[in-house]
């Protein structure tokens, strides 16, 4: 939606660049909010720079173009800031715990609504934060607050999450884990039979190793200043929990954790273990800012800037640029050609590669395989919108009407006011409506299924809960 909105402001071929600028500015602001809690302003600004230009973000921008994940990653520092406050790692100075739970729920939902794999990363990461806090504080309160915030976040995003979970049975969701997309094929420096895959995985793995080394080095160098203070200081607590997150993110990139990728719910749908760099980047930026606050920190700042700049130059040269992508997409939409589907969202039993290219909205077929039986007929398209199609047909004999539409279960087909079950093609699931002789009225409408209704109800209830929490001044 952000990308679409930018299309109203700048030319379409400039939208990707504008999107990156907006999102990475947001990323820097969110990191500044986190780092400023324990660092001086100059050091926090350097943390913001490091996060906005971290190697993982550069990999996403220049090679992956996964703008949804980029947007979700931008919110991570703010999500962790509120999580640390709820867990007691950082002092809650500006808001009641009730409001903290509400704000956490909002941010958690924003991540899930931006990008589902990032939502999985966030879910496991904040759960680890709350569990660690409960163990170190020997109290169940961090877990209770965290569980409330996570439940609220899932509730706010339920209008999307519930249908996304339920409707997996309608589609070929296993194609999201087809060859090349399996976690075991994407651990660091894994080799497969695909040279292109191997090259990209080498680039991603090298970027991840750089992130690991930078984060580890910065954490060790920042340790002296952290441990010299009070054992209960915020810096010490934050250093410990960020080190824990860094260790977990690093381990999950290596094959030694393969069993976790198989047994932990939904973790396999993250697909690429090196995606955990998004979590590692948060710790890297904070540790780098802590280094900048030290004496002669400007030397370290220059070294980090040179490393990040060199990474950007390297990844920029490896990118595959095609200035015709956006104009070609615009032209396809203008011609009403549609666009290529995605394997995992095909209906069960369909292969979108078999769908006829540049198909008309409606075409006629004889009632059986004998083309000589094709009757004379007139088809009028009365209405054709995203969620409703209305056709009128005058035919001298029986025929079949082939619509440029895929048979998803949410479609309801009515023939002369009576609901019918449409037919399908042999090799793909295009909708086919059998008609008799005479006049017929065909109406196809996209209905609100029960899972969508349930998700909407949960979201509405969660919104009311957020309003209540944000107005509540007292502490939980």
């Amino acid at each position: 939606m952000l990308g679409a909105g930018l299309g109203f402001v700048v030319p379409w071929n400039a939208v990707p660049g504008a999107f990156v600028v907006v999102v990475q500015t947001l990323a820097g602001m969110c990191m500044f909010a986190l780092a400023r809690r324990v660092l001086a302003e100059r050091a926090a600004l350097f943390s913001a720079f490091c996060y906005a230009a971290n190697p993982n973000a550069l990999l996403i921008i220049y090679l992956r173009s996964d703008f949804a994940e980029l947007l979700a990653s931008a919110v991570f520092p703010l999500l962790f800031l509120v999580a640390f406050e709820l867990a007691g790692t950082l002092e809650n100075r500006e808001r009641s715990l009730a409001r903290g739970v509400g704000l956490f729920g909002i941010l958690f939902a924003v991540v899930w609504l931006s990008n589902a794999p990032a939502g999985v990363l966030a879910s496991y990461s904040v759960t680890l934060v709350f569990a660690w806090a409960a163990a170190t504080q020997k109290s169940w309160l961090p877990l209770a607050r965290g569980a409330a915030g996570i439940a609220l976040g899932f509730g706010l995003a339920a209008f999307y999450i519930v249908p996304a979970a339920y409707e997996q049975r309608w589609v070929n969701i296993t194609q999201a884990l087809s060859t090349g997309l399996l976690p075991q094929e994407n651990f660091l420096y894994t080799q497969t039979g695909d040279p292109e895959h191997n090259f990209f995985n080498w680039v991603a793995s090298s970027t991840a190793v750089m992130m690991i080394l930078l984060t580890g080095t910065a954490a060790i160098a920042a340790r002296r200043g952290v441990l010299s203070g009070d054992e209960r200081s915020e810096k010490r607590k934050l250093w410990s929990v960020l080190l824990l997150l860094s260790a977990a993110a690093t381990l999950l990139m290596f094959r030694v954790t393969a069993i976790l990728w198989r047994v932990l719910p939904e973790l396999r749908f993250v697909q690429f273990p090196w995606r955990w760099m998004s979590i590692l980047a948060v710790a890297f930026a904070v540790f780098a800012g802590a280094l900048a606050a030290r004496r002669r920190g400007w030397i370290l700042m220059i070294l980090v800037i040179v490393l990040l700049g060199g990474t950007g130059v390297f990844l920029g040269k490896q990118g595959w640029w095609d200035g015709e992508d956006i104009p070609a997409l615009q032209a396809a939409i203008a011609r009403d050609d549609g666009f290529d589907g995605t394997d995992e969202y095909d209906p069960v039993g369909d292969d979108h590669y078999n769908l006829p290219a540049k198909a008309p909205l409606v075409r006629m077929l004889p009632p059986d395989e004998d083309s000589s039986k094709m009757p004379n007929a007139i088809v009028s398209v009365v209405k054709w919108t995203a969620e409703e199609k209305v056709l009128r047909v005058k035919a001298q004999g029986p025929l079949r009407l082939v619509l440029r539409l895929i048979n998803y279960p949410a479609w309801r087909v009515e023939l002369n006011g009576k609901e019918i079950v449409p037919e399908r093609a042999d090799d793909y699931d295009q909708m086919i409506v059998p008609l008799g002789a005479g006049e017929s009225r065909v109406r196809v409408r996209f209905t609100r299924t029960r899972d969508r209704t349930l998700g909407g109800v949960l979201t509405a209830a969660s919104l009311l809960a957020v309003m209540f929490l944000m107005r509540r001044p007292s502490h939980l």
Side-chain angles (χ1 to χ4, degrees):
M1 292 179 69
L2 174 60
L6 288 172
F8 288 104
V9 181
V10 298
W12 274 112
N13 58 358
V15 166
F19 185 97
V20 169
V21 170
V22 170
V23 171
Q24 291 312 99
T25 300
L26 173 63
M29 293 170 65
C30 290
M31 176 49 68
F32 181 80
L34 171 59
R36 190 66 180 89
R37 292 296 302 273
V38 293
L39 299 175
E41 183 175 340
R42 188 186 74 166
L45 284 171
F46 187 64
S47 289
F49 163 78
C50 288
Y51 191 69
N54 76 80
N56 181 57
L58 297 174
L59 179 72
I60 294 175
I61 292 167
Y62 289 116
L63 264 70
R64 297 185 58 214
S65 298
D66 192 340
F67 290 165
E69 186 175 335
L70 191 70
L71 178 58
S73 299
V75 185
F76 276 169
L78 202 55
L79 176 70
F80 281 117
L81 170 59
V82 183
F84 294 152
E85 289 178 348
L86 291 180
T89 303
L90 295 178
E91 182 183 348
N92 194 342
R93 303 172 183 172
E94 300 178 358
R95 62 185 70 87
S96 69
L97 285 174
R99 291 177 179 173
V101 170
L103 180 57
F104 177 87
I106 292 171
L107 294 169
F108 190 74
V110 166
V111 171
W112 267 99
L113 293 174
S114 298
N115 182 251
V120 176
L121 299 181
S123 300
Y124 281 110
S125 298
V126 296
T127 299
L128 182 60
V129 169
F130 294 127
W132 172 261
T136 55
Q137 298 172 28
K138 299 180 180 179
S139 170
W140 58 270
L141 284 176
L143 279 178
R145 296 166 186 160
I150 291 172
L152 185 61
F154 277 129
L156 289 171
F159 72 94
Y160 155 69
I161 292 177
V162 172
Y166 179 81
E167 294 178 14
Q168 287 183 20
R169 68 196 68 191
W170 294 358
V171 297
N172 297 316
I173 194 63
T174 55
Q175 290 299 312
L177 297 171
S178 58
T179 302
L181 303 176
L182 293 167
Q184 58 263 34
E185 296 175 314
N186 291 282
F187 288 113
L188 299 192
Y189 295 112
T190 297
Q191 295 287 307
T192 69
D194 184 351
E196 290 188 5
H197 175 277
N198 292 341
F199 174 73
F200 182 85
N201 195 50
W202 179 85
V203 173
S205 299
S206 300
T207 305
V209 168
M210 174 185 290
M211 286 284 295
I212 293 168
L213 293 176
L214 284 173
T215 305
T217 302
I220 294 171
R223 183 172 179 266
R224 181 184 300 177
V226 170
L227 297 185
S228 63
D230 186 350
E231 289 187 359
R232 294 170 295 177
S233 71
E234 287 189 330
K235 283 187 178 181
R236 178 187 283 259
K237 291 179 180 179
L238 184 61
W239 184 87
S240 298
V241 72
L242 287 177
L243 193 63
L244 174 68
L245 286 172
S246 300
T250 298
L251 283 173
L252 284 165
M253 296 186 214
F254 289 93
R255 188 172 296 277
V256 67
T257 58
I259 187 172
L260 296 179
W261 287 87
R262 289 195 296 269
V263 301
L264 291 179
E266 307 303 321
L267 184 58
R268 66 189 185 280
F269 285 106
V270 173
Q271 299 172 314
F272 313 119
W274 37 259
R275 267 180 164 154
W276 279 96
M277 281 190 285
S278 296
I279 304 300
L280 198 61
V282 177
F284 157 67
V286 175
F287 292 148
L291 284 180
R294 294 180 56 184
R295 186 179 180 182
R296 297 180 180 177
W298 62 271
I299 299 177
L300 299 172
M301 291 171 64
I302 292 175
L303 289 175
V304 172
I305 291 172
V306 170
L307 282 172
L308 296 184
T311 302
V313 171
F314 172 78
L315 293 176
K317 289 183 177 180
Q318 300 304 317
W320 39 86
W321 308 101
D322 187 352
E324 292 302 314
D325 274 355
I326 296 298
L329 182 60
Q330 276 187 282
I333 293 173
R335 293 193 305 265
D336 200 22
D337 287 346
F339 53 89
D340 291 336
T342 307
D343 296 349
E344 59 264 35
Y345 301 134
D346 262 356
V348 173
D350 181 63
D351 186 344
H352 69 91
Y353 294 105
N354 291 333
L355 291 172
K358 298 182 179 180
L361 297 181
V362 185
R363 66 187 179 95
M364 295 179 289
L365 291 177
D368 50 41
E369 299 300 326
D370 188 356
S371 60
S372 64
K373 296 181 180 179
M374 184 70 197
N376 292 326
I378 299 176
V379 179
S380 302
V381 178
V382 179
K383 185 177 184 180
W384 193 278
T385 64
E387 297 191 357
E388 187 178 16
K389 332 286 181 180
V390 179
L391 310 169
R392 291 191 181 276
V393 183
K394 293 182 180 180
Q396 295 180 358
L399 77 158
R400 292 178 296 165
L401 217 57
V402 183
L403 309 185
R404 196 176 73 187
L405 201 61
I406 299 298
N407 268 317
Y408 283 101
W411 287 113
R412 294 292 181 267
V413 182
E414 296 177 2
L415 178 59
N416 297 326
K418 294 182 179 180
E419 188 170 320
I420 65 168
V421 178
E423 298 176 357
R424 53 161 292 166
D426 292 336
D427 299 327
Y428 46 90
D429 205 2
Q430 190 171 3
M431 185 178 292
I432 300 176
V433 181
L435 302 177
E439 292 191 15
S440 301
R441 183 178 186 271
V442 179
R443 183 189 183 204
V444 184
R445 56 192 177 87
F446 195 81
T447 57
R448 177 168 289 276
T449 50
R450 292 179 180 178
D451 54 287
R452 290 180 65 199
T453 300
L454 175 61
V457 170
L458 291 174
T459 295
S462 299
L463 283 171
L464 292 176
V466 167
M467 293 172 62
F468 172 76
L469 290 172
M470 299 303 280
R471 291 173 60 88
R472 185 180 174 86
S474 60
H475 281 56
L476 291 176

